[in-house]
Amino acid sequence: MEKIRVLIAKPGLDGHDRGALVISQALRDHGMEVIYTGLRQSPVQIATAAIQEDVDVVGLSSLSGAHNTLFPKVVEELRKRNAEDIPVIGGGVIPNEDIPFLLEKGIKRIFTSGSSTDELARYIKQLVRPDEALDPPKRINHIGIAVNRLEDALPFYTDVLGLSVEAIEEVESEGVKVAFLKIAETRIELLEPLHEQSPIKKFLEKRGEGIHHIALEVDDIEERLAQMKRKGIQLVNEEPKEGAKKSKIAFIHPKAANGVLVELCEQTGGGDV
Amino acid sequence: MTYQHENAQSRWEKEVEDILKRFPERKDEFQTSSGIPVERLYGQDQPDYDLGFPGQYPYLRGIQPTMYRSRLWTMRQYAGFGSAAETNKRFRYLLEQGQTGLSVAFDLPTQIGYDSDDAMSEGEVGKVGVAIDTLADMEKLLEGIPLDKVSTSMTINAPAAILLCMYIAVGEKQGVPSEKLTGTIQNDILKEYIARGTYIFPPKPSMRLITNIFAYCQEHSPKFNTISISGYHIREAGSNAVQEVAFTLANGMAYVDAAIESGLDVDAFAPRLAFFFNAHNNFFEEIAKFRAARRIWAKIMKEHYKAKNPRSWKLRFHTQTGGSTLTAQQPDNNIVRVTLQALAAVLGGTQSLHTNSRDEALALPTEESARIALRTQQIIAHESGVADTVDPLGGSYYVEALTDEIEEKVMDYLERIKEYGGAVQAIEEGFMQREIQQNAYETQKRIENGEEIIVGLNRFTVEEDVNPELLKVDEALGKEQIENLERIRAERNNEEVKEKLDILRKHAQNPDKNLIPAILDAVKAYASVGEICHVLRDEFGEYTGS
């Protein structure tokens, strides 16, 4: 597969290119071919370079406050040259209130101060090659086991197997109380229904105690769901919802996975999980 | 070392050993931003430092004998946006609030020598600073501000000579002779090539303009600081503390070399050289950095350049807190960052200080944010007590060890730059740029993998909607500025402008001519920044990056 080609450009007179340079280097480390224009490029110069270099995406950086004038001009100059299929993204010091205007003018996305370069690289990959295989799931995050009562089930895991309880918490959205037992990189998740409407209650009534689901840890849960949807894979949740321990989760229908309920989960960054 | 001390030390070492078995330390290795390893404890061998005295060579402890006990540092907040009239209002507000010096931010077209109506200026007029096209704008900018009483710092580099001439011309109109003017022009083109990007001409003619200013001011404005050799932007571009000092001092040496080569005596201009550093996050490393820079520069000036006037040995510096350390997330946290950075600058002996506003990662500061930033300095000055003794951290085992270590690492860099043939060649070959970029990239990676913690960014985050009140530059301003410029062009004596520009062109063609008198004449005839720069572009060419 050919490398994704990116043009990183500094429109206007702004001389702050630390961000542009760091991003160029980071995208190269992500396997992309990056062309950096250098300082003081006019929208015409940027559009011309994008076409000549046959890039897949243009990234604009501005810290001087000229973004509202210059970013839309780049989109316009590309359109004039019949190259509106080259997506334009932007970043720098850009107040939140300016973002809707820029999106309306055809900039695909704005990355503001504090964005991570990994996030940017993933975004570009999805933008340019939406159907390219995503990285496979990283690990089995946990195996969910439906139980009638946590206190009856726990002694086997703690006293007999000798595992320790990492956390017990209630997940309102699923109507369950869960206990996590850590085993090396993964966990066993015991699920007790909180009320009659809980899906776990229904599961127990139908099948009795037993393995309920397998959770696979992934990045980009939204992108992955969108991609699966495009491929016609039957999903229980088309949008992620909040799961235990501040994660984002979504279930794939058992029909799509040989009768196994598969959960996708993404640990959301930042805080101590 | 006494027996008692040895005894206590071995007891401590034993205890450390026991504790480490049960509780490992937070990290395997502690380091400063410059990669200097940080020991568990300093001073175990009770080193005996010869620190010298403040006000005496090599000025480790400060350049004045009494430092802030006599006079506090100058509180100088950088400001400027939109039109000259609007910025004039902000200046008067800051002076009323107790600020003691002005600092002018110019917009990018002014800094790169384009008029507001130039196609290159589109979208940039009045954005990051005030737009100045002709002397008329400068008159409005300084209206009602007594230039014999207020010192003014101007962040202007490639066209520094033009803005300096405008300042002199406004002074004349106020009845203040140029000899009485005080202030600073940044005038540091080398760091523009390295880190800041507002260059116009290639290095050689740029160095000529700079040495022309040195020579002119020595005679006509002897109280004006003719250059502010800046590490600030080098640090903002991603360097560490050691690189900041090393590259700044290397640039300083390049200016001294150029001035000597142009025939000036070192003691004639060196007392007017000023410096400008960043105050970053690593508290003790920053304090040590300022102290080390002072000692190194004194040695260079005395031993290498054989300057005889003690004023030539003194490194006087302005400090600004680190803009790139501010986060857009939880912006009020920035007030705390700025406080610590400002404290480091004061403990490091700065001569003047700008404290950043909490909202600068989002936009230009609002009036309220700018006031909190100034109040931060006033609280340090008047409430904390740190200004009541000279160099309060002098003799701290840790600070002195760091100071020595930074000096050593800076000297290594200066040696490498010398091997390139000096700062100008090192820049032309991209050496400093590469070093800075590598460090910037590594810093970013450390932040992204959580090795370096930025509160509110990669730890202790909250869901928030950051939409504070931001300062907006009126979009109509560009149009107004262009109309004003057109009016000036219609009203001025265009014959005279042409004549003065022709003289400037002739002088530019003769490398032995000092260009300042011709620029001053053109400015007084209301020739614009763009017109003057276009003449010089024709003659000197343009720098296009390395």
Side-chain angles (χ1 to χ4, degrees):
Chain A
M1 174 85 60
E2 261 186 59
K3 283 184 173 184
I4 293 177
R5 294 172 65 80
V6 186
L7 184 77
I8 298 292
K10 289 285 302 175
L13 302 179
D14 176 32
H16 297 88
D17 63 356
R18 174 179 181 169
L21 289 167
V22 164
I23 278 168
S24 299
Q25 198 169 341
L27 295 180
R28 281 185 197 115
D29 281 0
H30 278 273
M32 300 182 200
E33 186 82 37
V34 181
I35 300 116
Y36 172 51
T37 60
L39 301 179
R40 293 187 210 167
Q41 300 294 303
S42 69
V44 172
Q45 286 171 311
I46 293 168
T48 314
I51 293 163
Q52 276 170 2
E53 295 286 353
D54 190 24
V55 298
D56 299 299
V57 58
V58 175
L60 303 174
S61 159
S62 171
L63 284 76
S64 71
H67 49 270
N68 281 349
T69 311
L70 296 173
F71 286 9
K73 282 240 155 125
V74 173
V75 175
E76 200 183 306
E77 293 300 334
L78 283 169
R79 192 175 300 140
K80 277 190 205 163
R81 289 163 178 74
N82 298 320
E84 61 268 37
D85 57 317
I86 303 178
V88 176
I89 59 179
V93 177
I94 294 170
N96 281 344
E97 60 189 83
D98 290 351
I99 294 175
F101 170 79
L102 293 170
L103 298 181
E104 188 191 310
K105 290 288 173 186
I107 288 90
K108 283 269 180 288
R109 184 156 158 190
I110 297 294
F111 289 84
T112 53
S113 156
S115 305
S116 89
T117 53
D118 283 347
E119 185 190 344
L120 172 67
R122 281 206 300 272
Y123 175 79
I124 291 177
K125 283 180 192 166
Q126 283 304 305
L127 181 69
V128 176
R129 310 240 168 104
D131 291 317
E132 190 172 321
L134 293 163
D135 290 341
K138 294 194 280 197
R139 58 180 170 137
I140 293 176
N141 181 281
H142 62 262
I143 294 169
I145 298 175
V147 300
N148 290 318
R149 271 161 55 98
L150 282 182
E151 60 182 288
D152 297 339
L154 274 172
F156 169 75
Y157 295 94
T158 55
D159 301 346
V160 179
L161 294 180
L163 299 173
S164 48
V165 175
E166 193 181 38
I168 295 184
E169 65 176 279
E170 293 187 3
V171 183
E172 286 299 328
S173 63
E174 293 295 295
V176 291
K177 187 173 170 189
V178 300
F180 284 104
L181 298 132
K182 199 164 165 42
I183 308 181
E185 283 285 279
T186 185
R187 292 170 185 79
I188 287 174
E189 180 191 38
L190 302 180
L191 305 125
E192 174 193 306
L194 278 175
H195 45 68
E196 293 297 314
Q197 282 72 43
S198 165
I200 294 298
K201 183 77 187 172
K202 286 173 196 149
F203 179 90
L204 287 166
E205 281 166 3
K206 221 161 123 186
R207 306 207 207 170
E209 291 188 319
I211 292 187
H212 174 260
H213 68 269
I214 293 178
L216 305 178
E217 189 172 324
V218 297
D219 291 322
D220 319 296
I221 191 162
E222 284 96 351
E223 283 300 326
R224 207 171 287 261
L225 290 169
Q227 204 181 69
M228 285 184 174
K229 201 178 152 194
R230 282 196 298 271
K231 288 182 179 164
I233 296 192
Q234 198 177 344
L235 301 170
V236 178
N237 314 104
E238 291 187 358
E239 297 288 332
K241 51 186 181 175
E242 194 179 324
K245 295 158 109 204
K246 285 184 176 171
S247 57
K248 287 192 283 187
I249 63 166
F251 286 98
I252 300 171
H253 201 280
K255 278 183 193 161
N258 314 89
V260 177
L261 179 63
V262 175
E263 173 190 329
L264 298 180
C265 65
E266 180 179 346
Q267 307 293 347
T268 47
D272 294 325
V273 182
Chain B
M1 215 178 288
T2 64
Y3 170 72
Q4 251 179 344
H5 177 84
E6 261 177 59
N7 199 0
Q9 182 171 343
S10 60
R11 220 169 47 229
W12 174 74
E13 280 165 3
K14 177 78 186 42
E15 277 179 57
V16 168
E17 210 177 294
D18 290 346
I19 285 178
L20 287 182
K21 279 180 205 148
R22 284 173 292 144
F23 308 106
E25 292 178 325
R26 285 184 289 115
K27 296 179 191 172
D28 294 341
E29 230 181 11
F30 291 80
Q31 281 192 351
T32 69
S33 83
S34 309
I36 298 172
V38 178
E39 307 293 332
R40 182 172 297 120
L41 184 74
Y42 285 83
Q44 296 177 60
D45 48 355
Q46 295 184 304
D48 189 12
Y49 288 110
D50 178 14
L51 304 178
F53 286 86
Q56 289 180 25
Y57 182 86
Y59 308 103
L60 172 68
R61 308 200 64 183
I63 57 163
Q64 295 118 0
T66 57
M67 287 303 287
Y68 308 133
R69 281 171 70 98
S70 306
R71 206 177 131 254
L72 292 165
W73 62 92
T74 304
M75 299 177 192
R76 196 191 291 281
Q77 299 295 93
Y78 186 49
F81 55 89
S83 69
E86 242 180 304
T87 303
N88 177 268
K89 252 193 274 169
R90 176 69 70 94
F91 282 165
R92 292 192 194 201
Y93 172 80
L94 286 166
L95 290 172
E96 276 163 29
Q97 295 296 312
Q99 175 164 307
T100 45
L102 295 180
S103 178
V104 189
F106 296 98
D107 72 356
L108 286 168
T110 308
Q111 293 190 52
I112 304 176
Y114 293 113
D115 285 336
S116 297
D117 60 350
D118 195 295
M120 290 295 288
S121 305
E122 198 180 350
E124 308 272 17
V125 176
K127 283 283 161 62
V128 301
V130 59
I132 300 290
D133 288 310
T134 69
L135 180 58
D137 295 320
M138 200 69 163
E139 288 163 1
K140 272 185 250 163
L141 179 73
L142 299 168
E143 198 178 301
I145 294 168
L147 299 194
D148 52 345
K149 295 198 178 68
V150 172
S151 81
T152 305
S153 165
M154 292 189 273
T155 300
I156 194 74
N157 293 279
I162 303 168
L163 276 297
L164 173 67
C165 287
M166 287 184 176
Y167 195 79
I168 292 172
V170 174
E172 265 178 38
K173 293 198 171 190
Q174 283 190 5
V176 181
S178 65
E179 286 76 11
K180 284 202 171 160
L181 296 174
T182 57
T184 307
I185 40 175
Q186 198 162 75
N187 198 25
D188 171 14
I189 199 67
L190 294 178
K191 66 91 175 53
E192 297 295 331
Y193 301 132
I194 299 174
R196 192 166 172 275
T198 69
Y199 42 74
I200 304 177
F201 316 113
K204 200 160 180 245
S206 294
M207 295 301 267
R208 171 185 172 191
L209 276 167
I210 290 166
T211 53
N212 282 177
I213 292 172
F214 288 179
Y216 184 88
C217 287
Q218 179 206 336
E219 206 176 322
H220 298 95
S221 300
K223 283 161 52 179
F224 218 86
N225 295 316
T226 49
I227 192 165
S228 174
I229 306 160
S230 305
Y232 181 81
H233 317 89
I234 291 173
R235 191 66 178 275
E236 288 295 291
S239 84
N240 61 36
V242 164
Q243 291 166 338
E244 178 191 353
V245 173
F247 299 164
T248 308
L249 298 187
N251 290 347
M253 292 174 75
Y255 296 123
V256 173
D257 288 334
I260 290 173
E261 203 179 308
S262 79
L264 292 171
D265 176 61
V266 64
D267 284 314
F269 65 88
R272 294 326 304 171
L273 304 178
F275 288 83
F276 174 20
F277 290 113
N278 198 304
H280 218 266
N281 284 339
N282 194 309
F283 188 68
F284 290 110
E285 183 182 44
E286 290 301 290
I287 297 166
K289 174 189 84 179
F290 299 124
R291 300 171 84 248
R294 216 162 27 229
R295 186 164 65 191
I296 303 166
W297 187 248
K299 289 182 188 167
I300 289 172
M301 291 311 289
K302 186 166 186 246
E303 288 163 20
H304 180 75
Y305 290 110
K306 313 286 180 213
K308 291 186 185 64
N309 184 349
R311 287 171 56 223
S312 302
W313 305 337
K314 293 181 188 178
L315 180 145
R316 297 172 298 127
F317 67 99
H318 172 68
T319 307
Q320 180 170 339
T321 57
S324 62
T325 68
L326 305 181
T327 60
Q329 297 75 15
Q330 304 176 38
D332 285 349
N333 293 347
N334 293 327
I335 297 173
V336 184
R337 292 191 177 96
V338 167
T339 306
L340 286 167
Q341 294 162 357
L343 186 59
V346 169
L347 292 172
T350 193
Q351 275 58 61
S352 59
L353 180 60
H354 166 105
T355 32
N356 288 330
S357 297
R358 60 183 166 174
D359 44 5
E360 284 181 51
L362 301 160
L364 289 180
T366 61
E367 196 162 276
E368 195 199 346
S369 300
R371 188 179 63 233
I372 295 173
L374 176 60
R375 292 289 181 260
T376 305
Q377 294 199 39
Q378 290 162 335
I379 289 168
I380 292 173
H382 301 290
E383 297 184 13
S384 75
V386 297
D388 297 349
T389 187
V390 179
D391 189 30
L393 287 174
S396 147
Y397 294 131
Y398 180 35
V399 171
E400 297 301 347
L402 275 180
T403 306
D404 289 351
E405 190 112 18
I406 289 172
E407 176 166 348
E408 202 177 299
K409 286 179 175 262
V410 168
M411 295 312 293
D412 287 347
Y413 260 122
L414 290 180
E415 202 50 49
R416 284 171 75 183
I417 291 165
K418 198 171 143 196
E419 282 163 21
Y420 274 93
V424 178
Q425 282 79 3
I427 291 165
E428 283 178 328
E429 291 181 39
F431 168 68
M432 301 184 200
Q433 296 93 314
R434 281 194 303 275
E435 291 285 303
I436 294 167
Q437 204 205 320
Q438 193 52 37
N439 198 65
Y441 186 56
E442 281 162 14
T443 305
Q444 177 71 18
K445 282 205 293 199
R446 278 201 304 276
I447 292 170
E448 290 191 9
N449 67 24
E451 221 175 292
E452 197 168 316
I453 294 169
I454 309 290
V455 173
L457 180 77
N458 61 3
R459 280 285 288 278
F460 316 111
T461 54
V462 292
E463 286 289 329
E464 63 181 339
D465 197 12
V466 190
N467 266 324
E469 188 201 334
L470 297 178
L471 183 123
K472 276 277 171 193
V473 176
D474 187 1
E475 292 292 334
L477 175 100
K479 221 175 119 236
E480 247 170 70
Q481 184 69 23
I482 291 170
E483 283 165 10
N484 285 341
L485 175 60
E486 280 165 358
R487 208 186 55 243
I488 297 290
R489 286 211 183 105
E491 287 171 3
R492 69 185 181 185
N493 180 342
N494 281 303
E495 297 269 307
E496 191 193 356
V497 171
K498 189 178 174 303
E499 179 195 324
K500 300 298 182 197
L501 290 177
D502 285 344
I503 294 172
L504 175 62
R505 185 183 300 277
K506 280 204 194 77
H507 287 193
Q509 287 159 356
N510 177 355
D512 295 331
K513 275 274 182 202
N514 190 316
L515 292 172
I516 309 304
I519 293 175
L520 184 58
D521 285 345
V523 159
K524 284 180 181 171
Y526 292 85
S528 69
V529 173
E531 289 161 345
I532 294 171
C533 284
H534 280 313
V535 168
L536 297 177
R537 276 188 177 96
D538 283 350
E539 298 305 321
F540 295 157
E542 285 189 69
Y543 185 76
T544 51
S546 65

